[in-house]
Amino acid sequence: MSLITTLADIVGDAFESQGFERAFGEIAVSARPDLAQFQCNGAMPAAKQAGKNPRDVAQAVIDAIADTSPFAELGIAGPGFINLTLTDEYLAGYIDELDDACHFGVPQQAPKRVVVDYGGPNVAKELHVGHVRPAIIGESVKRILRALGHDVIGDIHLGDWGMPYGQLIAEIADRYPELPYFDEAKVDGYPSEAPVSIEDLQELYPLAAARAKADEDFAARARAAVVDLQEGRPGYRALWQHMRDVSIEAMTKVYDRLNVHFDLWHGESTVNHRLAPMTRRLFEDGFAYESEGALVIEVMTDEDTKEIPPMLLVKSDGATLYTTWDLATIEDRVEELGAEEMIYIVDVRQSLHFEQVFRAAYKTGIAPEGTVLDHSGNGTVNGPDGKPFRTRDGGLLTLRDLVDMVVARAAKRLEENELATEFPPAEKAAIAERVGLAALKYGDLQNHRSSNYIFDIERFTSFDGKTGPYLLYGAVRMNSLLREAAGRSVESGRVVAPEREQERNLMLQLARLPEVIERAAQHRAPNHVAEYAYELVADFSRFYEACHILRESDPARQASWLRLVETTLAELSLVLELLGIDVPERM
Ligand code: ARG
C-alpha cells in the first residue's frame, strides 16, 4: 500500500470515530515542507458540513488518532489544516519494504480492459514530426495504465482506407497496366513480392492526390477503384495489401527505434465488413436520417449551448468516411476485444470529430452504458517560430530524420562532456542512440500532453537541467556506484532511520511514486511521471553529495545508504520504462 493511503487510513479512522466520513482523512504531500511532511485538508469541509469550528474538528481528529506510532508531530495550521510529520523510524521502515514485488507501493486496481488508440499514421506516407507526440505519449499512457494492473491493448489504428488508396491504385494502373492486379479475370495467384517500394508509394501518394484534383477523368477512375477495393475486388485487395505491408515494415523500423510497440495493427479497413450492416441498422432504428442526400446522426442535445453539427455517417455519393470507420471501430472493440475503456491519443485538433463519434456511439448504444470513450488530445511540436515544426525549405521533417538529427547531436554531446570516450565504437554509437532518444522523448513527455512545445535540440540534449540525458546520467551513476560497492564487497542492508535531511528527503521522494502514477493515469498525462523522474534524480544527487557512501565508517548506515541507491535505481528504471526511455549500462 502507498504511504499516503496508509496515513489516510489512520486519519480516516479518526474522522470516522468523531462521526465524520472517513474520506475526509485524505492526505497530501505538504505544501509547506518547512512545516510538515504531509497535510490533511479534511477538517474544513467536515466542519462546514457539521456546522462546527474547523480548528476544533482538526483538534478532535488529532486527539482521536488511535495509532500515533507513525507520527513524530501532529499539529494544526491556519484555518484547520492538519500537519503531519513521520518519525524517522517509521519512514525508514516503510522504505525498507519497498521493492518490485510490491510495485513500490503502486496500488493494483481492479483490471479493466482498455484500448489505447495511438500512433495513427497513414499507409503509404512516411512518418513525420507530427507523428512523434501521439506515438510516444500513447506508448507511455499504455505503460502507465499497465503499471496499475489494467489489461491494456495498444492499437495503432492505421489510416488505410478510403480515397488515397483508390488514387494510388488508379495511378499504379496507369503506370504499370501490365501488372496482374488489374486483370479483372484473375482472382488469385498474385505475386508475393510487392510491385512498389515504400519510396515509390511516398512519391506516388502526393502525385496521385494532385492529379485527382486536376484531372476529372482520373478522379472518376480513382473513385471507382475505391468502390471496387471496398467491395473486395481481389486484384485491388492484393495490391492494397502490398501497400499496407511495405508501409508497416517501414513504420516498424522507426517505431522500434522510438521504443513504441503496438499490440494490434488494426486500421480503418479492419471494420469494413461492419459498415453496411451498421449503417443499415442505424437507419432502420431511426438514429440515422437523410439530409441533403447523405445519412447523418443528430448528436446535439438540449443541454448544448454551442452548435455541434450532426455526424456524417454516409456521404451523398454513398461512400463511408472517417467518422463511420471510427464508429464501427468502437463497435468492433466492444464486441471483439471486450473493451470497457477506449483512450484516443490523437491531435487535439480532431476534438470535434471525436465529440461527434462518441456522442453517436453512446446515443446508438454502440458504446454500452459505462463504456469510457476518451479523446486525450495531444498538442504539436513547434519550431523556434512557434509554428508546427518544418524543415528549412518548409517541408515536413520526417520522423526518421528527426531521430537521426537528435542522435547525431547526442553523439557530439557525449564528446563535449568527455563521456564514453574510451568505449568501443559500436558501444559508443549505441549509447548516443539512447541518449538521443532520451533527449527527444523526455523533451516531449515533460510537457503536458495537450500543450504545444518548441523543439529545442540544444536544451533537450544537454546533460544539465531537466533533460533526458541528465536522467540517464543519473541512472548510470547509480549503476556504477553499485558496481564499485560490489567490487569492494560492500553490501546493502536494512534501511535505518535517516539522520540527514538529504537522506530523509530522498526517502520521502521514493514513497511518492504511487500517487504520481495514479495522477498520470487519471489525466492520461505522462508529464507527471516525467517530472517525478527529474525530482527523484535531483534528490538522489543531493543525497549523494551529502552522504559519502563508500567512505562511511558505520557499517549499518553504509548498508542502509547502499540500499537507498538500489531502491532509487529500481524506481528510476521503472519510471523511465513507463516513459519508454532505455538506459545504457554505462557511459
Ligand atoms: N490517421 C488519422 C490521421 O492521420 C489519425 C487516426 C487517429 N485514430 C482514430 N481512431 N481516429 O489523422
Side-chain angles (χ1 to χ4, degrees):
M1 200 162 29
S2 77
L3 182 56
I4 58 164
T5 353
T6 310
L7 303 181
D9 259 356
I10 297 172
V11 180
D13 281 345
F15 269 99
E16 205 169 48
S17 77
Q18 299 305 298
F20 300 106
E21 285 165 42
R22 49 181 308 115
F24 287 126
E26 196 185 322
I27 301 290
V29 169
S30 173
R32 289 285 306 273
D34 52 322
L35 298 182
Q37 294 167 347
F38 299 94
Q39 66 184 61
C40 167
N41 306 341
M44 280 85 74
K48 194 165 179 207
Q49 224 175 52
K52 291 186 175 160
N53 176 324
R55 285 186 70 98
D56 292 346
V57 171
Q59 193 56 55
V61 169
I62 290 175
D63 293 341
I65 289 180
D67 179 8
T68 51
S69 64
F71 305 113
E73 272 174 62
L74 288 165
I76 305 173
F81 295 106
I82 302 175
N83 275 340
L84 313 93
T85 294
L86 301 175
T87 66
D88 286 335
E89 290 70 25
Y90 184 86
L91 179 59
Y94 179 82
I95 299 300
D96 191 54
E97 306 209 325
L98 276 191
D99 61 14
D100 233 12
C102 72
H103 309 274
F104 298 96
V106 177
Q108 300 299 291
Q109 302 179 345
K112 271 190 148 195
R113 181 39 84 93
V114 184
V115 174
V116 181
D117 179 317
Y118 68 109
N122 298 331
V123 161
K125 274 174 109 174
E126 188 156 16
L127 295 178
H128 57 74
V129 57
H131 290 114
V132 74
R133 301 217 75 194
I136 69 185
I137 296 169
E139 179 70 24
S140 182
V141 167
K142 180 184 77 178
R143 293 174 184 217
I144 289 167
L145 292 169
R146 277 193 185 143
L148 287 167
H150 293 300
D151 180 7
V152 192
I153 300 175
D155 180 9
I156 188 167
H157 198 77
L158 278 180
D160 63 355
W161 218 224
M163 198 43 80
Y165 308 100
Q167 291 166 352
L168 277 168
I169 290 171
E171 182 69 33
I172 297 170
D174 278 1
R175 290 182 183 225
Y176 314 103
E178 69 289 354
L179 287 174
Y181 309 97
F182 309 115
D183 178 354
E184 250 184 293
K186 196 172 161 64
V187 295
D188 55 15
Y190 300 102
S192 56
E193 188 88 356
V196 280
S197 68
I198 184 68
E199 290 77 18
D200 296 336
L201 286 175
Q202 279 155 20
E203 199 188 310
L204 295 181
Y205 191 105
L207 290 182
R211 210 178 142 197
K213 275 204 191 113
D215 176 349
E216 186 36 50
D217 184 52
F218 176 78
R221 272 181 285 139
R223 279 197 299 273
V226 183
V227 174
D228 287 348
L229 172 69
Q230 297 187 342
E231 282 172 2
R233 179 169 157 170
Y236 287 6
R237 275 293 195 148
L239 180 56
W240 169 86
Q241 189 64 49
H242 280 310
M243 297 192 225
R244 201 177 192 274
D245 292 346
V246 295
S247 301
I248 290 179
E249 199 187 308
M251 287 171 187
T252 305
K253 284 194 195 126
V254 183
Y255 283 132
D256 275 353
R257 264 181 105 182
L258 285 172
N259 210 354
V260 168
H261 308 283
F262 301 96
D263 303 298
L264 291 180
W265 286 79
H266 283 183
E268 297 161 348
S269 66
T270 307
V271 294
N272 187 49
H273 63 287
R274 290 183 177 272
L275 302 175
M278 181 183 82
T279 49
R280 196 178 323 116
R281 196 186 69 240
L282 293 180
F283 181 70
E284 283 166 7
D285 291 351
F287 289 118
Y289 62 92
E290 243 181 273
S291 165
E292 296 169 37
L295 270 190
V296 301
I297 299 176
E298 181 63 68
V299 293
M300 280 239 319
T301 67
D302 295 341
E303 282 119 66
D304 286 314
T305 48
K306 67 172 180 18
E307 168 86 20
I308 299 184
M311 191 203 97
L312 197 49
L313 187 66
V314 182
K315 291 194 282 191
S316 53
D317 64 3
T320 54
L321 65 161
Y322 192 43
T323 38
T324 331
W325 308 329
D326 260 325
L327 191 60
T329 300
I330 294 176
E331 183 182 78
D332 196 61
R333 287 172 177 163
V334 169
E335 291 180 6
E336 297 293 323
L337 305 175
E340 301 164 79
E341 234 176 80
M342 293 166 230
I343 301 171
Y344 297 75
I345 309 293
V346 181
D347 198 312
V348 287
R349 290 171 291 188
Q350 294 198 23
S351 66
L352 178 61
H353 164 79
F354 286 110
E355 181 79 55
Q356 291 178 312
V357 171
F358 294 171
R359 284 175 177 232
Y362 287 126
K363 179 174 182 175
T364 58
I366 285 175
E369 222 184 290
T371 310
V372 175
L373 298 173
D374 170 11
H375 173 212
S376 285
N378 63 270
T380 54
V381 183
N382 290 341
D385 58 354
K387 303 221 178 78
F389 199 85
R390 301 252 154 199
T391 56
R392 233 168 280 155
D393 52 17
L396 269 184
L397 185 66
T398 67
L399 192 43
R400 197 165 36 129
D401 287 344
L402 181 77
V403 174
D404 283 343
M405 196 167 97
V406 187
V407 170
R409 187 68 189 94
K412 281 232 183 67
R413 285 281 193 195
L414 284 168
E415 271 171 34
E416 289 162 19
N417 287 276
E418 288 173 25
L419 291 167
T421 38
E422 309 288 307
F423 299 174
E427 187 182 353
K428 244 195 239 181
I431 294 172
E433 174 89 8
R434 292 197 164 179
V435 172
L437 282 159
L440 174 67
K441 296 188 95 174
Y442 195 81
D444 186 299
L445 292 170
Q446 68 177 256
N447 303 287
H448 185 267
R449 145 178 75 63
S450 65
S451 45
N452 306 330
Y453 69 87
I454 290 177
F455 183 79
D456 183 346
I457 195 167
E458 289 309 307
R459 183 164 68 82
F460 291 179
T461 55
S462 169
F463 277 93
D464 300 314
K466 206 186 265 189
T467 69
Y470 171 77
L471 299 180
L472 293 194
Y473 186 67
V476 164
R477 209 159 51 151
M478 292 173 209
N479 235 324
S480 76
L481 181 63
L482 291 175
R483 269 199 298 264
E484 203 174 327
R488 300 191 197 184
S489 305
V490 181
E491 278 177 24
S492 68
R494 206 171 61 80
V495 179
V496 300
E499 273 178 346
R500 296 177 205 186
E501 202 185 319
Q502 295 87 343
E503 202 184 350
R504 190 177 296 112
N505 285 343
L506 179 60
M507 291 187 192
L508 286 168
Q509 192 64 260
L510 285 168
R512 262 175 218 162
L513 181 67
E515 57 268 27
V516 170
I517 294 187
E518 285 189 307
R519 199 174 325 129
Q522 191 192 350
H523 302 287
R524 290 81 161 90
N527 62 300
H528 296 296
V529 176
E531 180 68 29
Y532 179 77
Y534 174 74
E535 284 170 12
L536 185 60
V537 175
D539 272 328
F540 176 81
S541 297
R542 288 186 277 265
F543 157 76
Y544 180 79
E545 309 249 293
C547 304
H548 301 270
I549 303 172
L550 296 176
R551 276 190 268 141
E552 172 61 32
S553 54
D554 172 0
R557 186 150 300 279
Q558 185 181 46
S560 170
W561 282 350
L562 209 53
R563 183 62 190 293
L564 279 185
V565 181
E566 286 172 357
T567 307
T568 307
L569 180 59
E571 256 197 32
L572 179 62
S573 306
L574 170 67
V575 160
L576 291 174
E577 199 180 303
L578 295 181
L579 300 175
I581 294 176
D582 279 335
V583 184
E585 270 304 295
R586 54 175 198 165
M587 65 189 187

